[in-house]
Amino acid sequence: AVADFIDRHSDSRFSGLDDHNAPTVRDRAGWWAMAGGSMEHWFSTEGMREALKGFDFNSAIRILQGRGVLAPAGKDGKNSRKERIHGRSTRVYKVYTDKLQD
């Protein structure tokens, strides 16, 4: 479901994390970034809930973490992580996009 969501919406609902001049994204689901030569999609909470619509959210998050697709829970025990995006602290779910292909 997450891979399909990225395939359908990557160009229209995500923008580059470092692209400060990107056009306004309507109905943003998150951002994408390159890290260590691999692409990551950083989902907003609303974006992740939309991508996992129809699934038990917490179970799906645990499965994605168990398969290494989603970053593990932080030190605070939360599955989303606080990241600074364009000067604001924002909670995101980091998806390792290359792991979706496995």
Side-chain angles (χ1 to χ4, degrees), residues 30-100:
W31 299 263
W32 61 267
M34 295 301 292
S38 297
M39 181 174 269
E40 297 177 352
H41 278 81
W42 294 14
F43 279 76
S44 66
T45 301
E46 297 80 21
M48 185 58 80
R49 287 198 176 277
E50 184 178 346
L52 294 175
K53 188 174 182 177
F55 294 94
D56 177 86
F57 185 78
N58 291 324
S59 294
I61 293 295
R62 282 191 301 275
I63 289 168
L64 290 169
Q65 286 174 331
R67 294 190 175 186
V69 171
L70 188 64
K75 294 176 187 174
D76 60 1
K78 294 187 178 183
N79 294 312
S80 60
R81 299 171 167 270
K82 275 190 176 181
E83 294 290 343
R84 196 154 255 338
I85 301 173
H86 304 295
R88 290 183 13 212
S89 181
T90 305
R91 283 211 163 268
V92 296
Y93 291 88
K94 286 187 179 183
V95 173
Y96 305 125
T97 311
D98 60 332
K99 297 286 186 177
L100 288 170

Side-chain angles (χ1 to χ4, degrees), residues 1-10 14 41 43 95 97 100:
V2 173
D4 288 343
F5 188 90
I6 291 170
D7 286 344
R8 281 193 318 270
H9 302 295
S10 187
F14 293 84
H41 278 81
F43 279 76
V95 173
T97 311
L100 288 170

